[in-house]
Structures are given as C-alpha cells and as structure tokens.
Amino acid sequence: MGFDDSSSERTSEAAIEAVLTVATDPVPPRLLAELLELPADRIESICARIAASYEREGRGFRLARVAGGYRLQSHEAYAGYVERFVLDGSPQRLSPAALETLAVVAYKQPVSRAQISAIRGVNADGVLKLLTARGYVEPVGRDAGPGQPVLFGTTSLFLERLGLDSLAGLPPLADFVPPPATVEVLEQALRPEPGV
Amino acid sequence: MGFDDSSSERTSEAAIEAVLTVATDPVPPRLLAELLELPADRIESICARIAASYEREGRGFRLARVAGGYRLQSHEAYAGYVERFVLDGSPQRLSPAALETLAVVAYKQPVSRAQISAIRGVNADGVLKLLTARGYVEPVGRDAGPGQPVLFGTTSLFLERLGLDSLAGLPPLADFVPPPATVEVLEQALRPEPGV
Amino acid sequence: MSYEVRTDVFDGPFDVLLRLINEQRVDLYEVRLSGIVDAYLAEMDSLEHLDLEAATEFLLIAAILVELKSRRLLPELPSEVSEDDLALLEERDYLLARLVECTTFSAAGRALSELERAAARSLPRVAGPDDRFEDLCVDLLAGIGPEHLRQAALRALSERTEPAVEVDHVLVDEVTVAEVVERLAAQLRGHSPVTFRQLTENALSRIEVVVHFLGVLELYKQGLVEIEQAETFGELVVSWSDSFGDIPNPVNPRGWLVHVDYEG
C-alpha cells in the first residue's frame, strides 16, 4: 500500500494512473517523464511499483509494458469475464454515428482525425479507435502539414465485407454538394498545410 | 486491502475491474450481474466497495456511475496531467444561446422545435442543429398533434458529458426560477401605471 | 444608449429585453424603443435568412411595449378598467411569464455548463479490449451494403436538416388557464374573500402563479369576481361577486397561454 511513500511519490503514481486511464495506446515512458517532469528512470521505477501493487492486491487490471510503452489492460486471470463481455456487451452493429464516420473515411480518404471530428461536429477518437481495432480503417500516411497528423483510409477487409472489388465500386454521391463548411474542412487535406 | 474478504468477493471485484478496463461505454449493473451471475444489488455494493477503495488509496482513477452504468475515469485531482496528455483539448464551449436551448430540451423533453422557439423567443433551428451534431440532443419521436413535429430529447452522451447517472440527477429547475426580487423588477418594468 | 447585441448567435427578443431590464436597470419607458428596434433590424440583416418567426415575435413585443408606454404617458386614464386595459394586462402578464421562463432557462443553461466543466476534469476510459480479444468481436458490418454507406456519407457530409415547416402548438406549462379558472371558481364561490397570495400558496412555479393571476383576471373579466388592492403593491384581495350568486359557470377562456398558435 506504500504508507512509507512520500506524498509526492503518491502524487506521481496517481498522475501516471490518471494518464494511463484515458490513454488509448501504450504511453512511452519518455512522454510520462515529460508530463511529470521526472527523469525517465524514475518513471520506470514508479510504474514498476504501480504494477506490483496491482498484482499484490489482486486487481482485475494490470500495468503492462508493451510496444515501447505502458498501458492498463485487463488481467488475464479474468479473461473469461472479458470474453463474455466482449461477446455480449460490446456493440453487435455499428451505431449510426460510427457508420457515418466510416462513410466519411471511405469517401473522403485520406482524412485526418481532426478533419473527421470537424465534419462530424464531435470528437471522433472513440469511433476511429473502434473502426481501427476492427480492421475496417487504418493509418495510410501522414499529412505534410504541422504536427504531421495521421491520415486514415479504409482497408481491404472493409472492401471485402462490403462485397466491393475496389473503392471505385462505392456508389457515387452523384450531384451531392456538401455545404461550404464541409468543403472547407475537406479542402484542407489538399493543401500543404492542414491548418486543423 | 480487504484481507478479510472471502476470495469469491475478491474475484467479483477483480472481474468487474477487468470488464471496466476494456469497456468503452458505461456498463449497466444489469450486464455486470449477468456476467458475474450475481444479483444486481450485490453488483451495486461491490462497485461501491471498489469505488471506496480507489478513493481511500488515492488512486489516479475512480469508479463513476454515469448514464446508467459504471465506468473507470481519471480522477479530477489529476486533471492537469490528463489535460496536457490529451492534446485534442476540451471541446469548444457552447454559447449561452446553445446552453439555454440545451436546458430547455433537458428539462422539457420530449419537446418540439416550435416549443423551444417559443420559450426562447427565437428560431431554434441553428442551435438545435449544433446540439444534434455534438450528440447532446437527438430526435426521440414525433408529436401526435398536427404536422407531427419531431420531438427532441437529450442523449446518453449528454449524461456522460455532464457526469450524470440519469436525468433525475439534473438540478431541479425550480432552483433557477429567478428570486422574487428579480421578478419584481421585471414586473415593475412592464407595469403600465403604478398600482394597477 | 448603447445596446450590446450578440453577433455570433442570435439571442432573441427576450434576452435583449432581459438585458435591458436587468443590466441597465432602466425604466423600460425611458428606453428608446427605436434603439431596440434598430439593434434588432441590424441583427436580422446579419442573419443569412430572415427569421420570420423571430421577427414577428419581436414586433409583437415591441407593440406591447409601445402601447404600455403610450398609456403611461397619458396623464389621465379613466378610473374603471376597460376591456382594452384588461387585454393589455393579459398581454403584459403573458410577457412577464415568458421573461421569467426565459430567465429560468438561462440560469439552468449556465448550471449545465458548470456541470460539464466539472465533469470534463475526469475523463472516461475508452481504450477498449486488448488486441487478444479482437477475434471475438463480431463483424460490425454485417448487413451493411454499399448503399447504406452512401446514405451515411450523405448524412454525415450534409448539414443536418429537419423538416422545416411545422404547425405546432406551444405548451408553456402543464397548468392551463382554463383549469385554473375552474379551480379558482370552485375555491371562491360562496366563500369569504381571499388574498391572491393564499390562492397561489401551493403553486409549484412562478409560471403557475402567473397563470393563476391570469385566471383571476379572466374571472374578473367575466364579472364573476371582484379584485381589491388597498394600496400600491399591496395584497390583492379576490372575492366572489355577490351580484351573480352562484348561478353561472365560468366560461373557459381562450387559454391562450396554453395554445399559442405560431404561423410561419
């Protein structure tokens, strides 16, 4: 439980836990070091302590070191519950919002996360994560502009599931003209600087 | 630490933790009850215990009850770190006009566009469009009356973003009725002659 | 006098009125109505399309204000209250009810914003299942064909529009004037005079109080009750009118607080 920790040590532990809670991908120790303004080796030792405490307390999650970073993940001892949850509790079909996001990627690829969010009017992170995890969407490159945002496109699995040979098989949007605001957002992809 | 817990109790706690670690939406207690084959009230008490232990141990995450379910979220005490980590930043703030419309929908739902316009004294189309795009508001049905206008209500995303478990958690509208002194000011301003 | 008019989102006539009354703390009769009108027209011009409903609403309010103002400016008014006066009072109280309601929802909106701000300090976990559970996931695209995708793209890329023309009735509150008139008549008939305060002590909201006030006015208009007020701002005392005994039932009023028809 660490009652012998200094309070700043506890704060560092909790700050790392907070960041890992919201992270969707493994967080490199270097990034944690920047956030907490601590040397990387301190981060490593703090993370080791957190991991040990979860293990000792028999928590349902663990702190794993994967792909060059740390992430929270479910403990394999409870994989049975997680499997049933994924089967019963996770969406059986795409929500209308998710389908619309997928459609934007399909028709307007390559597009950045920020462009999708701007078109949809809501943060698209969660949906993109889901679509990527299911293999319908993947990163296809980076924009040349500042921050070099990742650009997304659809996968061959996506084509396969829709029964299409190629993207050319998507039914045309015909004479549909998007409203000016949408056009503006999309055109930014064609400029050297995305400005998003 | 709970070393006096039965081991099945510890298993239940950990199983819930494992499921909440992989969940992307609030998990209804009913679903947890099915997965763990426990009555729903047991689930509630186990979740209360988990939440209390995180709080007691000063964890960087907490177990919250929102939109009718449980979810893990970062602890607000470490919001500074999380905000720096999540570069996307917080969503754009809603204008006073949008907030007022959102309040009308929240408290009067299901409510038609014309009813909203009448209360606000101004056409609500644009603002409703914005709130719908943000995912805070959605059409929930049609009125039986003439023209069968679309009726709007708030979404579970609205509850999630406000950190509410259900609409019952909204502060009572009566709290916002202007105090008598204010009404007096309004009344006097509209008084055609003193002492009617 | 300057008017702060919002430029990004149109706030509406009630907000402008409320701002004038609350912030500037002016007597409305000393406000140059033309100033409000000018500010409004400028606002209308800046909108992409003319909002007929809002414009009509504003003209209605302006008309009520002009009339109230003109009456105040007249030195002598007949001592007895005429039909026209009553109608004006009704309009005035209708307006008051709307302003109170508008104020209420403004405050509620600010409270929602505070909730959101507080909740945003605690972000949810959305990472989802680890990779090893990927195989378990069902095909989310089952049953979705290219045409579904096309429709979704059209929805996502167009501004969401709902059917624009609606014939609708506006329900300001659950309590209708008609209901209140009947309730008041039952309460007053054959009983000793009561104060307006007593009549409304169980009211749940201020709007309801206003509706009761309108109900009393309606009964007064039909000659069924008498209203006395001993002094300015004093208690209103309502009594059943003896001359009618207990013969007539009150006629249901138009119930205009309940059914406001908007044409547009």
Side-chain angles (χ1 to χ4, degrees):
Chain A
M1 285 284 292
F3 18 70
D4 51 350
D5 291 342
S6 74
S7 94
S8 85
E9 198 80 344
R10 292 307 318 253
T11 301
S12 303
E13 276 190 30
I16 290 175
E17 287 181 321
V19 169
L20 295 183
T21 300
V22 304
T24 53
D25 295 302
V27 185
R30 183 189 37 74
L31 180 52
L32 289 171
E34 269 173 43
L35 285 169
L36 273 75
E37 293 169 6
L38 287 175
D41 58 346
R42 279 290 300 286
I43 296 293
E44 302 277 6
S45 70
I46 295 170
C47 284
R49 284 240 309 279
I50 298 175
S53 80
Y54 293 167
E55 207 56 52
R56 191 171 59 236
E57 294 164 17
R59 295 285 175 200
F61 40 72
R62 60 188 194 84
L63 186 66
R65 175 84 197 238
V66 281
Y70 288 103
R71 81 169 172 208
L72 282 181
Q73 58 186 48
S74 60
H75 196 290
E76 45 275 16
Y78 305 96
Y81 293 100
V82 173
E83 279 169 19
R84 267 195 286 159
F85 171 73
V86 170
L87 286 173
D88 298 348
S90 64
Q92 298 298 303
R93 59 180 55 197
L94 286 182
S95 69
L99 183 59
E100 286 177 20
T101 299
L102 180 60
V104 170
V105 176
Y107 277 93
K108 300 296 173 185
Q109 56 190 302
V111 288
S112 72
R113 191 187 303 263
Q115 286 174 316
I116 296 167
S117 295
I119 291 170
R120 305 264 317 122
V122 288
N123 186 314
D125 281 9
V127 172
L128 265 179
K129 164 94 185 160
L130 174 74
L131 294 173
T132 311
R134 293 303 174 90
Y136 302 143
V137 159
E138 64 187 354
V140 293
R142 284 187 178 274
D143 196 89
Q148 307 203 320
V150 175
L151 298 174
F152 291 88
T154 50
T155 62
S156 54
L157 176 68
F158 163 83
L159 290 175
E160 193 183 303
R161 291 287 157 82
L162 254 75
L164 296 173
D165 282 339
S166 73
L167 286 174
L170 281 175
L173 296 180
D175 48 3
F176 169 74
V177 179
T182 305
V183 173
E184 194 180 315
V185 167
L186 288 171
E187 274 177 352
Q188 286 164 347
L190 307 174
R191 297 177 194 155
E193 291 180 351
V196 280
Chain B
M1 285 282 295
F3 19 70
D4 52 351
D5 291 343
S6 77
S7 92
S8 84
E9 197 80 343
R10 290 308 318 252
T11 302
S12 302
E13 274 191 31
I16 290 175
E17 288 181 320
V19 168
L20 295 184
T21 302
V22 306
T24 53
D25 293 297
V27 184
R30 183 190 38 72
L31 179 55
L32 290 172
E34 273 173 39
L35 288 169
L36 275 73
E37 293 170 5
L38 286 175
D41 57 347
R42 277 289 301 285
I43 296 293
E44 303 275 7
S45 67
I46 295 171
C47 285
R49 283 238 311 277
I50 298 176
S53 79
Y54 293 168
E55 204 59 52
R56 194 174 54 240
E57 294 163 17
R59 294 287 176 198
F61 40 72
R62 60 192 192 81
L63 185 67
R65 174 88 196 232
V66 282
Y70 288 102
R71 76 176 178 196
L72 286 178
Q73 50 191 53
S74 63
H75 197 291
E76 49 273 19
Y78 305 95
Y81 296 98
V82 172
E83 277 161 18
R84 267 186 286 160
F85 173 70
V86 183
L87 290 173
D88 282 357
S90 48
Q92 243 197 324
R93 303 223 71 90
L94 293 172
S95 70
L99 285 169
E100 193 176 310
T101 303
L102 184 60
V104 172
V105 176
Y107 284 97
K108 290 268 181 181
Q109 59 187 304
V111 65
S112 73
R113 178 182 287 107
Q115 288 172 315
I116 298 165
S117 298
I119 290 171
R120 297 211 49 247
V122 61
N123 185 307
D125 280 12
V127 173
L128 265 179
K129 222 177 283 175
L130 173 79
L131 292 173
T132 310
R134 281 283 188 94
Y136 283 6
V137 159
E138 65 186 354
V140 293
R142 284 185 177 275
D143 193 62
Q148 307 204 318
V150 176
L151 298 175
F152 292 88
T154 51
T155 62
S156 65
L157 180 67
F158 165 83
L159 291 176
E160 282 184 42
R161 287 289 158 81
L162 267 68
L164 297 175
D165 186 27
S166 73
L167 288 174
L170 283 173
L173 189 58
D175 291 357
F176 308 116
V177 174
T182 305
V183 177
E184 183 88 339
V185 169
L186 294 175
E187 201 274 339
Q188 283 180 22
L190 296 175
R191 200 178 279 261
E193 12 174 357
V196 170
Chain C
M1 186 166 296
S2 71
Y3 298 91
E4 185 203 56
V5 176
R6 293 180 52 84
T7 50
D8 50 348
V9 183
F10 183 52
D11 270 356
F14 299 136
D15 293 289
V16 171
L17 259 187
L18 284 169
R19 213 163 32 232
L20 287 170
I21 294 169
N22 288 330
E23 291 178 11
Q24 309 203 4
R25 306 218 164 262
V26 291
D27 183 337
L28 209 56
Y29 304 102
E30 282 155 23
V31 171
R32 280 174 52 244
L33 280 172
S34 64
I36 311 180
V37 174
D38 287 347
Y40 243 76
L41 292 179
E43 191 66 38
M44 294 284 169
D45 279 347
S46 73
L47 293 176
E48 279 180 23
H49 58 278
L50 181 62
D51 184 342
L52 265 186
E53 197 175 290
T56 312
E57 183 72 25
F58 176 65
L59 284 180
L60 173 71
I61 288 174
I64 296 170
L65 291 176
V66 169
E67 189 162 2
L68 288 168
K69 186 175 180 178
S70 66
R71 280 173 187 259
R72 163 108 161 219
L73 295 175
L74 290 176
E76 292 297 324
L77 279 171
S79 55
E80 71 270 22
V81 185
S82 73
E83 285 276 316
D84 285 353
D85 289 333
L86 264 185
L88 182 58
L89 279 176
E90 286 179 355
E91 299 290 8
R92 187 194 71 140
D93 287 300
Y94 172 59
L95 188 54
L96 177 61
R98 304 277 296 268
L99 287 176
V100 169
E101 191 169 42
C102 192
T103 309
T104 302
F105 282 109
S106 283
R110 287 192 297 275
L112 296 189
S113 179
E114 282 308 311
L115 281 178
E116 187 187 29
R117 197 190 302 257
R121 295 181 58 75
S122 175
L123 297 182
R125 178 163 178 82
V126 292
D130 332 352
D131 305 338
R132 68 197 134 114
F133 298 107
E134 216 166 273
D135 293 346
L136 293 171
C137 300
V138 293
D139 175 15
L140 292 178
L141 288 182
I144 291 174
E147 181 55 26
H148 293 106
L149 202 71
R150 181 173 131 353
Q151 293 295 339
L154 291 176
R155 280 200 306 277
L157 296 172
S158 57
E159 288 170 316
R160 283 122 220 273
T161 45
E162 298 288 337
V165 182
E166 282 178 12
V167 183
D168 197 2
H169 286 195
V170 178
L171 220 138
V172 170
D173 215 296
E174 299 303 319
V175 191
T176 70
V177 180
E179 287 166 7
V180 167
V181 163
E182 280 171 28
R183 212 182 300 158
L184 287 173
Q187 236 174 314
L188 291 165
R189 184 181 298 154
H191 291 89
S192 41
V194 291
T195 65
F196 184 69
R197 201 174 295 278
Q198 287 171 313
L199 284 175
T200 54
E201 62 192 359
N202 291 324
L204 295 175
S205 66
R206 234 152 256 287
I207 302 282
E208 210 172 304
V209 174
V210 174
V211 171
H212 275 74
F213 185 61
L214 297 172
V216 169
L217 285 178
E218 186 61 37
L219 289 168
Y220 180 85
K221 196 157 96 182
Q222 294 179 29
L224 296 172
V225 299
E226 283 168 10
I227 304 173
E228 281 174 68
Q229 188 176 33
E231 56 190 315
T232 306
F233 305 130
E235 289 265 42
L236 278 178
V237 179
V238 187
S239 53
W240 194 254
S241 175
D242 284 331
S243 55
F244 284 92
D246 56 359
I247 310 156
N249 275 317
V251 178
N252 270 354
R254 288 177 285 146
W256 33 261
L257 192 62
V258 192
H259 297 119
V260 180
D261 286 324
Y262 277 82
E263 292 146 24

